[in-house]
Every structure is written in structure tokens, then in C-alpha cells.
């Protein structure tokens, strides 16, 4: 955990990442709030808040008497939102900083190509 954002948001992002990478599939049970509290050493209320927010967003749904499950379309919904944040906020910040530092587009492309080498080969 880090101090840059509230703990419940960090927990939400970890669960979302687990959904994106396939740790949790559609209709599959996720880690319980009790387990979240233990694993991340947080108050149970914090774990409940994270799960509640994911439920409100349509990422999770409750199976009565069983637990919380991944909602159909959750992976796509998370990917679309995160892609939008990356392209519009993260990348925008990188480009603004590059401009401030006098880094050309060509230099950025080269740097990205070098960093990407071996990571995203198709």
C-alpha cells in the first residue's frame, strides 16, 4: 500500500487488476472482506467500502449466501475506464512534462521503443 491514494481505492485497483489479468473470471467468487482485511492489514470497514464501491460500479455482484462475484462485462468495463485514464491523463501528463523538458516526439518514440523491447511483442 502507498500513501498517494486512500487504501480502499488501492484495494479496488488490485481487485480490478486481478479481474483484468484473469485471476478472477466472470461469475467467480472473489476474496472475502474478512480475507481482504487480513491480507492488507486494514480495518474490515475499509475492505467493505472497497467491495461496496466495486458493486456500485457494476464490477461485482452479490450471490446471496455465497459472496461477491465478478459481474459479466466487468473486465471490459475496467479496461475501457483505465485505457481512457491512461490516454487522457497519464499520457497527457507525460507529454506535458516532455514539452517542458524539451524532449522531442522522436526522442519519446525512441525511449518508448527501448522500454517496450521484449514487453509487448505480438
Amino acid at each position: 500500500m502507498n500513501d498517494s491514494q486512500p487504501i480502499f481505492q488501492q484495494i479496488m485497483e488490485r481487485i480490478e487488476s486481478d479481474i483484468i489479468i484473469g485471476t478472477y473470471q466472470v461469475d467467480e467468487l472473489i476474496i472475502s472482506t474478512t480475507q481482504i482485511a487480513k491480507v492488507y492489514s486494514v480495518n474490515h470497514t475499509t475492505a467493505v467500502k472497497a467491495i461496496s464501491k466495486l458493486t456500485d460500479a457494476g464490477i461485482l455482484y452479490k450471490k446471496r449466501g455465497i459472496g461477491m462475484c465478478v459481474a459479466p462485462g466487468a473486465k471490459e468495463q475496467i479496461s475501457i475506464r483505465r485505457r481512457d485514464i491512461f490516454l487522457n491523463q497519464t499520457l497527457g501528463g507525460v507529454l506535458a512534462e516532455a514539452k517542458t523538458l524539451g524532449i522531442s516526439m522522436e526522442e519519446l518514440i525512441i525511449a518508448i521503443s527501448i522500454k517496450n523491447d521484449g514487453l509487448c511483442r505480438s
Side-chain angles (χ1 to χ4, degrees), residues 14-33:
R14 287 192 182 181
I15 292 169
E16 286 181 341
S17 292
D18 285 343
I19 292 169
I20 289 173
I21 64 171
T23 302
Y24 298 121
Q25 302 293 323
V26 171
D27 295 323
E28 189 173 75
L29 286 174
I30 66 152
I31 185 172
S32 72
T33 54

Side-chain angles (χ1 to χ4, degrees), residues 41-56:
S41 300
V42 298
N43 186 299
H44 187 263
T45 305
T46 301
V48 169
K49 184 173 184 178
I51 298 303
S52 177
K53 294 260 186 200
L54 288 169
T55 303
D56 292 346

Side-chain angles (χ1 to χ4, degrees), residues 4-14 16 46 50:
S4 66
Q5 64 184 159
I7 294 170
F8 78 90
Q9 285 182 336
Q10 294 175 57
I11 293 168
M12 289 172 60
E13 285 183 5
R14 287 192 182 181
E16 286 181 341
T46 301

